Structures are given as C-alpha cells and as structure tokens.
Amino acid sequence: MSAFSAIGDDREIDRDEFTPGIEPQATWCPGCGDFGVLKALKQAMPEVGKNPDEVALFTGIGCSGKLNSYFNSYGFHTIHGRSLPVARAAKLANPELEVIAAGGDGDGYGIGGNHTIHTARENHDMTYIVFNNEIFGLTKGQTSPTSPKGHKSKTQPHGSAKSPIRPLSQQLNAGATYIARTAAVNPNQAKEIIAEAIEHDGFAHIDFLTQCPTWNKDAKHYVPYTDVQQSDEFDFDVSDRKEAAEMMRKTEERLYEGEVLTGRMYVEDERPSYGQEKRAIGEMPEEPLAERYFDEDAEWERTYDNLLEHHK
Amino acid sequence: MTDNELIWRIAGGSGDGIDSTSQNFAKALMRSGLHVFTHRHYPSRIRGGHTYVEVRAKDEDVQSRGDGYNFLLALGDSFARNPQDEAYYGKEELKPLYENFDDLREGGVLLYDEGLLDEEDVEEIELEEAAEENGWHVVPMDLRGIAKEHGREIMRNTAGIGATAAILDIGTEEFEELIRQNMSGDMQEANLNVLQDAYEAASELDIDHDIEVPEGSHDEEQVILSGSNAISYGALDEGCRFISGYPMTPWTDVFTIMSQHLPEFGGISEQVEDEIAAAALALGASHTGVKAMSGSSGGGFALMSEPLGLAEMTETPIVLVEAMRAGPSTGMPTKPEQADLEHVLYTSQGDSARVVFAPANIRECYTQTRAAFRIAYEYQIPAIVIYDQKIQGELRNLPASHFDEEPNADPGSVLTEEEIQDAAHHASGKFQRFLHEPEDGSNVSPRSVPGQKDGRYLATGNEHTPEGHISEDPNNRIAQMERRLGKLDDIRADLDENASHQAYYGPDEADYGILVWGSQQDTAFEAVDRLNENGHSVKALGVSDMAPYPVEEVSEWLDSVDQALVVEMNATAQFRGLTQKEIGKYGDKLSSLLKYNGNPFEPAEIVDGFESSINGEELAATNMKYLPAAGD
Ligand SMILES: Cc1ncc(C[n+]2csc(CCOP(=O)(O)OP(=O)(O)O)c2C)c(N)n1
Ligand code: SF4
C-alpha cells in the first residue's frame, strides 16, 4: 500500500470538505476580493477531483497569504515572497501532490519577483494564484508593484513615479505555459480557470484581480469586465505566442484605463514540465522521492561501498 | 621543529594543475604507508597568480600543516606568459619561486623549472644569495623541456614529480600506478615517459640534502579525502536525497560533490536563483518528507536567515552547511576565518532554537554531519554544520573503516498513516501537529507529511495553535515557545549520553589549558605536544557543539586548569565570548590568542603565543593578537 493513500482517491468530492472550522471574516475585511478567490478555489476542487489530503497549498505573507487558514488542505504559510521555492521542492519531492501556490502582488511581483520569474522559466507543474489588488493590504495600503503610476500612498505621498509591472507579459517572457487573468467579481470564470490551471501540465500563472476596499480608496471592483474569450472584439489564438503577447499588452494597458479584460491569455501544451525534463535526463527518480522513506524494502546504500574507491 | 618529516610544497599559477598534482602526490605517499595532510593556498583568481599546495607526510597521524616546509617544487606561472613566450607581467612568472622563500626551512631543497623561467630574471631575484644564507639546495631543471619532449608542456607537473621522487629517493612505483589508474592511451604513455625521464635526469644530478622521508606502514586500509567529501558522505549515509544551493566559495565544494552523486543515489539536486530560494527549497522538500540539505558561506547564509527562522517556527527539520571564509561582506573569498560563529548562532529574528555543530577535522565532518541529520530529523529543528575554508580545502588520510557505518534513512518523527488515525485531531478535522504536551512527555510533537490520509495541518511561520491555526493567545504562545526551546535541553542530554563531540587532548592533569574549536583544533593539539616537550604543563579541549553548548563538560574542564588560552581565527574572540556567556563565569580565567590575517595558525605560533602569554610578555609576532582575561 502506498504511504500516501489519499493521493489518487477518486471518490466524489464535496467542496465543503475544503472548509475548515474557522471563518475568513476573522481577518479579511468586508467586501475584500480575497473571499472570491477562496470561493473559486473551493469550487474548483470537486471539478478536478482533488481531495483535501492530496492538495498542498503554499502561501506567502499578506492578507492573501491567509488563504490557507480558510482552505482545508495541507498548508504551508511561508514567508513574504517565498511560497514558490518552497512549493517547487514539494512538487519535486512528491510529484503526485497537487501543488498550488498563492500570494499577493507585493508578494509575488515585488519581494518574490525573482522566484516568480524562475519558477515560470523552469515550468514546474503547479498553479500560482496572485491576488492582484494593486496595493499592499496587510501593511496598510502602501504602493505595490501593480499600483498605477501616480498612485498616492503614505509612502509615496507625491504619487508614484514608477510604471506598474506587467505580470502577464513578464510571465510569458519568463516561460509560463498557462497564463490567465480573472477577477473576484466573476466567480464562474475564476473557478473554470483555476480548474484548468490545475489540470495543466506545467506552470500555470493566474493574475487574479481582487479588490481591496479598505486601502484602494478608488474601491476598484474591476467591473464591468470583459471575458476575452466571450467577446468578438478579441479574436486571438491562445496557443500562439505572438498573438498572446499582443493580447496581454492590450489587457495590461487597458486595466489602467479602466477597462478590465479577463480570460485565458496563453496556453502551451507541448512543453514538458520541469519534473519531466529532470526525469528524462536522469536527475530525478521515477518513483516519488518522498515514498522511499516509507518503503521498508528501499535500499539505502552506504557511501562506503560506492564512493570511497577513488579515495584509496 | 620536527625532523623526520617531509613537507613538500608545489607552487605555480592557478590553473597550472597544482591541485591535482598535489592530490596524486599525497595519495601516492599514503599508499606507501605514510600519514598525509595537505594545505591549500590560492588567490581569488581563476588562472595565473600564485598558488601553492603543501603535502606533509609523517609516520604518525599528521594533525596540521606544520611550520614552514622543506621541499619546494616551483613550476613557474605559465599563465603569466603570452603565446610568444614573452613575459606579460614582469616578474609575475617567477612568483611561484620567490614568493615562497619565506617559509622554506634551512637546508631545504628548492627545485625549479628553468625551462620556464629566464635565467636573467632568476638572477634578479637573488636566489643564489638567499640559498647561501639559508643553506638551501637549489636544483634548476628543464621540466618544461622534458615534458615537451615526450608529451605536452602541461606535463611539467609530472616531470616535477619524477624529479622529486629521485631527489627524495622514494621511487616512482606508486606514481606510475596512479597514472595508470587515472589515464589511458597516449596520455598515459606520455606521462609515464615524462615521469621516468625526469626521474633519471634528476638521479644523475646527485644532490645531497638532509631531508629524511620517514617510512611508514598503515595496518588498515586508508582513504584520503577533504572535509567537503566527508560532509557529503555523512549526509548521504543519513539518507539525505535533496540538496538545493547557489554557488559561493567555499560552500560550492559540498554543493558540487552532492550534485554529482545525488542522481546515482536516486536523489535530487537543484541549483536555484539565490540562497533564499535554496534554503526555502530544502524546507519544502523536508516538509514533504524528504531528508534535505542546503548551505552557503557568509553572505549567502545571511540571505538564508528568514527561511532558517521559518524552519524553527514550523519545526521543519533541515540541515544547513555554513562554510566560513574571511568577512565581513565579500571579505576574502579564498581565505579561511572563524568569524561567522555569532552569525550562525544568532541570525534570524526571535528566540531561536537551532543546533550548531563545528567539526574540527575531516573525521568529524563525517560524524557530525550524520549527527546533525539525526538530531534535526528526530527533534524537528534546523541543524547547522559550520566549518571553514581550511577544512574544506585540506586532504587528510584516515582508515576507510571510519565510513563503514550503517546508513540511517529514518526520517525521524514522521507518523505512518495508521498512526495518524490514532493521533489527536481538531474538531475541524485538522491533525494536531503541534501539541502543547506530546504524549511521550518529550518536546517533539510527531508530524505528518502532505499526501497522507487525514494528516492535514497548516505549517505557518506565525505563532500557531496545535493544529496550525494562527494564534496570538498568550497561553498558547507560552506553551509552544517552551516546547520548542525545551528541545535544546533534550538534545543536550541526548548528545551527552550518545556522543560527546568534545575532544580532550594531552595529560589528564595540567596547569594550563588551551580551549579551541573548529579547524584550529588539531593544530592546537600539535602545539600542546610541543609545549609539554618544552617542559610546560598543558592540556587542550576542542569543543564542537556550539549550540546547545556543553556547559557541564566545559565547566568541569575549566575547573581543572588555572588558566586557559582560547585559540581562534577571528578578531573579536567570538568563541571565548560564547563560552563566557554560556558558562556565566571564568572571565578571569580565559585569555585569547587570535589570528585573522587570512591564514590559519601554525603550531609554532600557538607555542609562541602561549609562552608569551604565561610569561606576561608582549607577543613578538605581528600577525596575531593577544587578548588578556577580562575579569568576571
Ligand atoms: C521580509 C518582509 N518584509 C516585509 C514584511 C511586511 N509585509 C507583510 S505583508 C506585506 C505586503 C503584502 O502585500 P501583498 O503581497 O500585495 O498582499 P496583500 O496584503 O495585499 O494581500 C508586507 C510588506 C514581511 N512580512 N516580511
Ligand atoms: S486590507 Fe484589503 S486586501 Fe486586506 S483583507 Fe482588507 S480588503 Fe482585503
């Protein structure tokens, strides 16, 4: 019997299984977009047939980082900006786990920006949800990497002189193989996108627009929004890099002009995931490494027998 | 100065093959029955410059590089030339020759490659005068010519070995054997020819000198390896199958060795974007149930400070290696220092619970890395192995049986799925991962790993309740803090019972003590022998457990001496400070001998430092500092 019998269990899953006994109202403000992510994520789980014990959710720090307090699965609430490297190793150590990472825009595009780029570049098979509220929530409303140019905050009282980061384009260039934008105000689309991202074999990046009514005084709710897949105006091929790049450029520009475009922006199915690449070159075992520690028949060689010869 | 020993120094430019040649030389001597020890000196430069390696050989265990040396093989720096054979940098090419004058003992032999160095240049550095003054035996030979004749110029090294063998009358058998083992085809043949030719040419020269190469014979099969090898093999024997890192000298060595071997053991190695990620990945792997390691040197370890704290708070086992080099900041990348002790003990926020071991030599690098893994995984705590560039780079022989220990793949206190069913669960279904009072009365609350049925919990760097919910409840805080910190007492008791890492040396009773840690230990032990030969009454204690500190052991030992000199390679007496802080007394008993110029102590320096300290004299040497006792 596998040491991880929860993995691959194909019973019917009820989304309530993902609700722990504690309430998100404990930390999230009324009207916060984070509720929308939580809801969509919970709804996606029965759809992809995952049970709480086979999902490992890794978060960063911020209001967004509290996600796994309210999501009943294995969880690791790491440190600011570092959810991805922790999650990556978990996936390598046990590729059968469903690995999801989440955090805010400060978390993923600011302090953890380097990890975000490298995780996409390596195309780890995991889903990364960035709660993009264009602000630092938990530390009380400072300017974030996605705040618009000219944004005024207590730390930038004269208005930010910086242009916002373009996360979709950045992740396309970095190498992510599934890129989408959705919004908390659109739970159905969000659920579908999360489910697709989980099923995608490779790094799936979701820029999830979440309103922060407390600190983003314009109280952006990202409505009305347009689903680019539903609109005739945006006829493009999501598997074509060039067309995707152009679509992302439009999406990112128009957001700051008040037009909210959402939907799948890029889907690449051909590229093998990092784990597959590593296995192909013999740098990763076929069986999940984590299983070995529970396998009584596993052989643990002494280095004496293998390595000392050339020191003699 | 000890007679009956060979200390052979090979000098050249970085990239001239000095390293591999010296390794083979040391291995050949070991195979002939001698005990060997190598010491590396290299600049922070990839090609050219001046680099040397010393090989010390005796018929008994060699504890340090010794003082000075008695045979120089100066190859000249081939990278100082341009392709037209004209010198680029003036005298640069000669550096391996004249830069080594200082430590060559009286009556020593100096063999240099006249095929590479211009006669006029050699005249200019006044080699003859220096040789006369010191009674050196100077042997110029056209090593480059011999190499070119039978192979390629690069084989100057082999020619140098052949000539050395003739001059020292040690035969070429072992060297030939090594060439046969390491090379094949034309390369093998050319090298064998170069070796023989140089041997014969040097035999004809008939040089007389008084270096006596001792005869030795081991009664057990020996191996020769570095501290980094030993750390890596210790980790592998403990079932470590995951490493993540980012290169930084001197940590790169362990990272490289592990990366080369892990796939063949079914493990995974990851070179990642920075050291924060490196430590974070190790945490992720360990959280998922795999035995994992990461590491770095000073600056890189600084970046690991936050993930280190996360490991403490989430009680995720992890082993980090800290390979010290001289700081602060980028410091001196290729020079050893013992100045990161406080950095590894205290870095990261909050009251910390971590284990720190400082192996003193290659033997301990293996055993203490194993101990670090065992403790980390049994007690769910980060363990740090701190060593330095000196142990990293030196090679030393020891019996192969030292590694003949059973592997230990036990991931420590991880439950099986059946055990999880019986364990405590919160009403919300969450597994109680962080119990205030574990059932067995210990401070370790067993853990589950992702994918196990009904083992769900939340690991968080925030303070948390037993099932991992974030909590600022004062009573919960106290209970969790006490349990986490309480592990340190348990670990101390475990170590006291199962393995003292402290090394006692010298007579049981002595008036004076030398207290030492890490890479300077064995050098200090050699100094203790000499001091006792000189009529002093001295013993030594080498401490390896930096945290939790062996308060009782060290107190007892300090009680038994009148005064103790703490020897360490830093400017601020960090280990002495730690000892005083942990023991809470003896401020009036402890004085310090410090060195921080980038070079480790030589035994004679410790002898001098000790003698001037007890005679109340000023230190004559300017490369060390004496810090008197400060009073309680
Ligand atoms: C190293 C470090 N720096 C700063 C902080 C303080 N901090 C906590 S959350 C946060 C910003 C979070 O913003 P974002 O990621 O956008 O998440 P949100 O709260 O908006 O969901 C900061 C700066 C920290 N915890 N760690
Ligand atoms: S501060 Fe903003 S992001 Fe944080 S919980 Fe409140 S509304 Fe949400």
Side-chain angles (χ1 to χ4, degrees):
Chain A
M1 196 190 82
S2 159
F4 303 111
S5 71
I7 297 177
D9 173 2
D10 55 8
R11 68 188 163 81
E12 286 258 319
I13 313 289
D14 186 316
R15 74 185 172 98
D16 288 339
E17 285 185 52
F18 289 89
T19 306
I22 89 169
E23 294 301 322
Q25 282 79 358
T27 49
W28 287 339
C29 312
C32 175
D34 295 5
F35 289 101
V37 187
L38 176 63
K39 187 170 170 203
L41 181 64
K42 280 192 202 169
Q43 282 179 333
M45 298 327 285
E47 209 134 302
V48 294
K50 296 293 171 190
N51 70 65
D53 284 327
E54 62 187 322
V55 177
L57 175 64
F58 297 83
T59 54
I61 298 294
C63 298
S64 48
K66 301 276 167 68
L67 178 71
N68 52 13
S69 287
Y70 316 121
F71 185 77
N72 189 22
S73 70
Y74 277 94
F76 202 148
H77 180 225
T78 66
I79 38 180
H80 198 29
R82 317 299 166 199
S83 65
L84 284 174
V86 183
R88 262 150 61 183
K91 186 71 188 181
L92 293 172
N94 193 346
E96 292 180 352
L97 286 173
E98 193 51 63
V99 173
I100 303 171
D105 44 284
D107 198 75
Y109 303 146
I111 189 165
N114 195 22
H115 308 308
T116 303
I117 290 170
H118 284 273
T119 313
R121 163 193 167 217
E122 291 168 8
N123 195 30
H124 288 266
D125 180 15
M126 59 174 66
T127 302
Y128 184 39
I129 305 171
V130 177
F131 296 44
N132 182 0
N133 57 12
E134 298 179 24
I135 198 97
F136 281 10
L138 194 66
T139 45
K140 306 197 170 171
Q142 299 82 3
T143 312
S144 96
T146 49
S147 301
K149 191 170 178 191
H151 176 89
K152 284 189 180 169
S153 71
K154 283 188 189 149
T155 49
Q156 276 170 312
H158 305 290
S160 171
K162 304 178 196 191
S163 297
I165 205 163
R166 293 164 179 256
L168 305 171
S169 309
Q170 180 197 286
Q171 288 297 80
L172 179 72
N173 288 332
T177 48
Y178 181 99
I179 302 168
R181 169 171 277 174
T182 186
V185 286
N186 186 2
N188 267 337
Q189 184 202 44
K191 177 198 72 180
E192 276 168 30
I193 282 180
I194 291 176
E196 264 179 35
I198 288 174
E199 281 172 340
H200 175 75
D201 275 341
F203 188 67
H205 185 99
I206 303 172
D207 186 73
F208 205 125
L209 299 172
T210 54
Q211 69 276 13
C212 171
T214 304
W215 300 113
N216 221 343
K217 285 297 177 207
D218 305 340
K220 264 192 187 169
H221 280 84
Y222 307 105
V223 276
Y225 66 88
T226 307
D227 181 335
V228 295
Q229 260 81 37
Q230 304 294 327
S231 159
D232 295 339
E233 192 198 336
F234 307 100
D235 179 28
F236 76 107
D237 177 358
V238 283
S239 65
D240 185 298
R241 257 193 118 74
K242 259 191 163 161
E243 290 186 23
E246 178 52 24
M247 187 63 229
M248 287 178 189
R249 193 187 59 74
K250 264 187 225 154
T251 306
E252 288 172 325
E253 259 171 34
R254 293 200 196 169
L255 182 68
Y256 296 100
E257 290 160 6
E259 188 181 3
V260 184
L261 304 181
T262 64
R264 296 127 185 102
M265 300 286 158
Y266 184 60
V267 183
E268 179 183 344
D269 284 325
E270 300 303 306
R271 189 177 156 202
S273 72
Y274 185 62
Q276 286 169 320
E277 301 265 25
K278 259 183 105 78
R279 276 185 172 153
I281 57 166
E283 275 198 354
M284 200 168 128
E286 285 302 323
E287 295 298 314
L289 186 49
E291 284 271 6
R292 284 193 77 188
Y293 293 87
F294 293 92
D295 179 358
E296 282 174 13
D297 301 326
E299 289 209 11
W300 295 91
E301 302 106 307
R302 289 177 313 183
T303 56
Y304 180 77
D305 300 327
N306 299 281
L307 302 177
L308 287 190
E309 271 316 306
H310 70 273
H311 297 291
K312 285 179 183 165
Chain B
M1 215 161 279
T2 349
D3 292 313
N4 225 9
E5 67 174 0
L6 170 67
I7 305 183
W8 178 84
R9 182 185 282 193
I10 177 172
S14 293
D16 271 334
I18 304 299
D19 245 9
S20 57
T21 312
S22 62
Q23 280 171 23
N24 278 334
F25 188 74
K27 199 187 253 186
L29 294 182
M30 177 189 79
R31 286 180 175 187
S32 77
L34 288 165
H35 289 271
V36 289
F37 185 105
T38 74
H39 163 77
R40 274 171 87 187
H41 166 101
Y42 63 106
S44 192
R45 179 170 159 180
I46 307 303
R47 292 194 162 231
H50 166 234
T51 172
Y52 68 76
V53 181
E54 272 172 21
V55 179
R56 186 184 190 193
K58 293 198 335 181
D59 56 358
E60 56 188 48
D61 193 23
V62 196
Q63 319 217 58
S64 76
R65 64 181 284 203
D67 316 304
Y69 66 104
N70 53 16
F71 191 115
L72 174 67
L73 167 58
L75 289 178
D77 179 352
S78 67
F79 292 96
R81 282 179 298 137
N82 70 12
Q84 280 78 44
D85 279 62
E86 284 159 25
Y88 261 163
Y89 311 114
K91 301 273 173 296
E92 188 87 343
E93 202 169 26
L94 268 95
K95 266 191 169 177
L97 182 55
Y98 69 83
E99 286 251 320
N100 290 290
F101 284 0
D102 275 358
D103 304 326
L104 181 57
R105 293 182 193 169
E106 239 168 74
V109 173
L110 196 159
L111 166 63
Y112 74 92
D113 187 355
E114 65 174 345
L116 188 76
L117 308 178
D118 282 347
E119 210 177 307
E120 287 151 38
D121 287 344
V122 175
E123 266 167 34
E124 248 178 71
I125 59 169
E126 295 170 1
L127 170 61
E128 256 177 58
E129 290 86 328
E132 201 158 311
E133 207 171 293
N134 295 294
W136 293 337
H137 305 273
V138 178
V139 189
M141 276 183 74
D142 184 7
L143 301 173
R144 182 183 175 209
I146 296 174
K148 261 180 157 170
E149 205 171 309
H150 292 282
R152 288 193 293 132
E153 181 178 338
I154 185 110
M155 295 173 191
R156 291 186 301 135
N157 294 334
T158 308
I161 296 280
T164 301
I167 296 168
L168 293 174
D169 196 18
I170 51 176
T172 54
E173 220 172 278
E174 304 288 355
F175 300 113
E176 285 170 30
E177 183 61 29
L178 276 167
I179 291 174
R180 285 201 188 90
Q181 272 179 15
N182 297 340
M183 299 172 194
S184 58
D186 290 351
M187 275 291 277
Q188 187 193 79
E189 204 176 310
N191 271 285
L192 286 171
N193 288 336
V194 170
L195 184 81
Q196 271 318 321
D197 232 46
Y199 185 84
E200 277 157 30
S203 299
E204 280 165 20
L205 296 176
D206 204 16
I207 300 133
D208 93 289
H209 59 79
D210 340 299
I211 302 173
E212 263 182 61
V213 182
E215 275 189 37
S217 116
H218 301 291
D219 45 15
E220 261 197 82
E221 186 172 34
Q222 302 288 310
V223 287
I224 178 167
L225 54 145
S226 72
S228 304
N229 285 126
I231 286 180
S232 305
Y233 300 167
L236 289 170
D237 276 355
E238 279 297 312
C240 171
R241 292 293 180 272
F242 190 98
I243 193 165
S244 42
Y246 189 83
M248 182 166 185
T249 304
W251 138 261
T252 310
D253 233 35
V254 166
F255 185 33
T256 311
I257 295 169
M258 289 296 280
S259 303
Q260 280 167 356
H261 295 300
L262 267 177
E264 81 196 52
F265 284 91
I268 296 172
S269 162
E270 277 289 286
Q271 181 183 319
V272 294
E273 58 270 27
D274 59 33
E275 286 86 352
I276 308 177
L281 264 98
L283 268 181
S286 179
H287 173 73
T288 317
V290 167
K291 287 174 126 176
M293 158 161 138
S294 184
S296 192
S297 295
F301 189 82
L303 291 183
M304 295 182 164
S305 137
E306 253 210 316
L308 176 64
L310 180 64
E312 294 180 341
M313 191 50 139
T314 56
E315 302 182 59
T316 309
I318 180 183
V319 174
L320 296 178
V321 171
E322 216 269 27
M324 290 181 280
R325 66 192 214 186
S329 192
T330 311
M332 297 198 279
T334 64
K335 299 292 172 206
E337 199 166 82
Q338 294 180 294
D340 292 353
L341 178 60
E342 290 177 348
H343 182 44
V344 302
L345 284 170
Y346 308 125
T347 187
S348 190
Q349 65 274 35
D351 289 322
S352 73
R354 71 188 62 169
V355 176
V356 181
F357 293 146
N361 50 41
I362 287 147
R363 183 182 289 270
E364 290 186 5
C365 280
Y366 177 74
T367 48
Q368 289 181 24
T369 302
R370 293 203 62 163
F373 269 94
R374 181 180 71 79
I375 298 287
Y377 279 79
E378 255 181 58
Y379 294 91
Q380 304 172 2
I381 194 167
I384 299 162
V385 177
I386 180 172
Y387 76 135
D388 65 45
Q389 202 268 348
K390 173 178 180 291
I391 308 184
Q392 184 271 129
E394 69 199 13
L395 299 174
R396 199 167 165 177
N397 69 292
L398 68 171
S401 61
H402 183 63
F403 297 90
D404 200 359
E405 278 182 46
E406 282 309 304
N408 170 33
D410 187 356
S413 35
V414 178
L415 299 178
T416 61
E417 288 197 334
E418 291 89 80
E419 289 165 337
I420 289 172
Q421 295 303 327
D422 299 333
H425 283 73
H426 182 251
S428 67
K430 295 236 178 204
F431 164 69
Q432 303 217 333
R433 161 75 179 93
F434 307 101
L435 290 169
H436 289 167
E437 292 177 359
E439 269 170 37
D440 61 359
S442 79
N443 288 301
V444 179
S445 180
R447 63 186 182 122
S448 58
V449 299
Q452 287 181 312
K453 192 166 185 304
D454 296 331
R456 289 182 312 283
Y457 72 96
L458 175 61
T460 167
N462 285 67
E463 188 56 274
H464 44 265
T465 62
E467 54 284 352
H469 291 313
I470 294 171
S471 163
E472 294 189 350
D473 175 80
N475 293 325
N476 174 72
R477 163 71 173 179
I478 291 171
Q480 299 291 30
M481 278 299 279
E482 300 218 316
R483 192 176 52 73
R484 287 192 297 265
L485 293 173
K487 290 180 193 174
L488 292 174
D489 295 332
D490 303 347
I491 292 167
R492 189 63 260 155
D494 178 324
L495 291 169
D496 288 341
E497 195 171 315
N498 295 311
S500 166
H501 289 162
Q502 283 51 260
Y504 295 85
Y505 197 82
D508 284 345
E509 311 249 327
D511 299 339
Y512 292 99
I514 290 183
L515 189 65
V516 64
W517 71 286
S519 68
Q520 303 311 292
Q521 175 190 289
D522 290 4
T523 312
F525 287 179
E526 186 167 343
V528 164
D529 285 341
R530 294 194 203 172
L531 285 166
N532 286 322
E533 276 166 30
N534 292 355
H536 297 286
S537 166
V538 192
K539 62 181 179 178
L541 176 61
V543 180
S544 290
D545 299 350
M546 301 291 112
Y549 194 84
V551 173
E552 265 182 50
E553 261 185 285
V554 181
S555 302
E556 259 175 45
W557 184 86
L558 282 174
D559 279 338
S560 74
V561 294
D562 296 338
Q563 283 291 318
L565 182 68
V566 189
V567 175
E568 56 185 319
M569 239 189 325
N570 60 55
T572 53
Q574 297 190 12
F575 176 62
R576 170 177 153 191
L578 172 68
T579 304
Q580 271 172 226
K581 168 178 173 277
E582 290 286 342
I583 295 183
K585 56 179 178 176
Y586 292 136
D588 57 346
K589 235 186 203 186
L590 300 172
S591 55
S592 291
L593 185 64
L594 306 168
K595 193 174 174 187
Y596 45 91
N597 66 354
N599 294 313
F601 282 100
E602 292 179 10
E605 291 174 336
I606 299 178
V607 169
D608 290 349
F610 179 88
E611 288 181 334
S612 27
S613 79
I614 60 168
N615 296 334
E617 289 162 8
E618 293 257 324
L619 264 185
T622 53
N623 63 343
M624 301 184 290
K625 182 162 95 181
Y626 175 70
L627 211 68
D632 271 322

